[in-house]
Coordinates of all heavy atoms in Angstrom, one line a residue:
L73 N 6.1 154.4 153.5 CA 5.0 155.4 153.9 C 3.7 155.0 153.6 O 3.4 154.2 152.7 CB 5.4 156.7 153.1 CG 6.7 157.3 153.4 CD1 7.0 158.5 152.4 CD2 6.8 158.0 154.8
P74 N 2.7 155.4 154.4 CA 1.3 155.0 154.2 C 0.7 155.9 153.1 O 1.2 156.8 152.6 CB 0.6 155.4 155.5 CG 1.5 156.5 156.1 CD 2.9 156.2 155.7
D75 N -0.5 155.5 152.6 CA -1.1 156.2 151.6 C -1.8 157.5 152.3 O -2.6 157.4 153.1 CB -2.3 155.4 151.0 CG -3.0 156.1 149.9 OD1 -2.7 157.2 149.6 OD2 -4.0 155.4 149.4
L76 N -1.2 158.6 151.9 CA -1.7 159.9 152.7 C -2.9 160.5 152.1 O -3.4 161.5 152.5 CB -0.5 160.9 152.7 CG 0.8 160.4 153.2 CD1 1.9 161.5 153.1 CD2 0.7 159.9 154.6
A77 N -3.4 159.9 151.0 CA -4.6 160.6 150.2 C -5.8 160.9 151.2 O -6.2 160.1 151.9 CB -5.0 159.7 149.1
G78 N -6.2 162.2 151.2 CA -7.4 162.5 152.1 C -7.0 162.9 153.5 O -7.9 163.2 154.3
N79 N -5.7 162.7 153.8 CA -5.3 162.9 155.2 C -4.3 164.0 155.4 O -3.6 164.0 156.4 CB -4.8 161.6 155.8 CG -5.9 160.5 156.0 OD1 -6.9 160.7 156.6 ND2 -5.6 159.3 155.3
G80 N -4.2 164.9 154.5 CA -3.3 166.1 154.5 C -3.5 166.9 155.8 O -2.4 167.3 156.4
R81 N -4.7 167.2 156.2 CA -4.9 168.0 157.4 C -4.4 167.3 158.7 O -3.9 167.8 159.6 CB -6.4 168.5 157.5 CG -6.8 169.5 156.4 CD -8.2 170.0 156.7 NE -8.6 171.0 155.8 CZ -9.2 170.9 154.7 NH1 -9.4 169.6 154.2 NH2 -9.5 171.8 154.0
F82 N -4.7 166.0 158.7 CA -4.3 165.2 159.8 C -2.7 165.2 159.9 O -2.2 165.4 161.0 CB -4.8 163.7 159.7 CG -4.3 162.7 160.7 CD1 -4.6 163.0 162.1 CD2 -3.5 161.7 160.4 CE1 -4.1 162.1 163.0 CE2 -3.1 160.8 161.3 CZ -3.4 161.0 162.6
V83 N -2.1 165.0 158.8 CA -0.6 165.0 158.9 C -0.1 166.3 159.3 O 0.8 166.4 160.1 CB 0.0 164.6 157.5 CG1 1.4 164.8 157.4 CG2 -0.4 163.1 157.2
S84 N -0.6 167.4 158.7 CA -0.2 168.8 159.1 C -0.4 169.1 160.5 O 0.3 169.7 161.2 CB -0.9 169.8 158.2 OG -0.6 169.5 156.8
A85 N -1.6 168.6 161.0 CA -1.9 168.8 162.5 C -0.8 168.1 163.4 O -0.4 168.7 164.3 CB -3.2 168.3 162.8
N86 N -0.4 167.0 163.1 CA 0.7 166.3 163.8 C 2.0 167.1 163.7 O 2.7 167.2 164.7 CB 0.9 164.9 163.2 CG -0.1 163.9 163.9 OD1 0.3 163.4 164.9 ND2 -1.2 163.6 163.3
V87 N 2.3 167.6 162.6 CA 3.5 168.5 162.5 C 3.4 169.6 163.4 O 4.4 170.0 164.1 CB 3.7 168.9 161.0 CG1 4.9 169.9 160.9 CG2 4.0 167.7 160.1
M88 N 2.3 170.4 163.3 CA 2.1 171.6 164.2 C 2.2 171.2 165.7 O 2.8 171.9 166.5 CB 0.9 172.3 163.9 CG 0.8 172.8 162.4 SD 2.2 173.9 162.0 CE 2.0 175.2 163.4
D89 N 1.5 170.1 166.1 CA 1.4 169.6 167.4 C 2.8 169.3 168.0 O 3.3 169.6 169.0 CB 0.5 168.5 167.6 CG 0.3 168.1 169.1 OD1 1.1 167.4 169.6 OD2 -0.6 168.6 169.7
S90 N 3.6 168.5 167.1 CA 4.9 168.1 167.6 C 5.9 169.3 167.6 O 6.8 169.4 168.5 CB 5.5 167.0 166.6 OG 5.6 167.5 165.3
L91 N 5.7 170.2 166.7 CA 6.5 171.5 166.7 C 6.3 172.3 168.0 O 7.2 172.8 168.7 CB 6.1 172.4 165.5 CG 6.9 173.7 165.4 CD1 8.3 173.5 165.1 CD2 6.3 174.5 164.2
G92 N 5.0 172.3 168.4 CA 4.7 173.0 169.7 C 5.2 172.4 170.8 O 5.7 173.1 171.8
N93 N 5.2 171.0 170.9 CA 5.8 170.3 172.0 C 7.3 170.5 172.1 O 7.9 170.7 173.1 CB 5.5 168.9 171.9 CG 4.1 168.5 172.4 OD1 3.9 168.6 173.6 ND2 3.2 168.1 171.5

Side-chain angles (χ1 to χ4, degrees):
L73 296 170
D75 184 0
L76 305 180
N79 294 304
R81 287 187 175 91
F82 172 62
V83 172
S84 300
N86 271 277
V87 172
M88 296 306 300
D89 188 273
S90 60
L91 180 65
N93 279 292

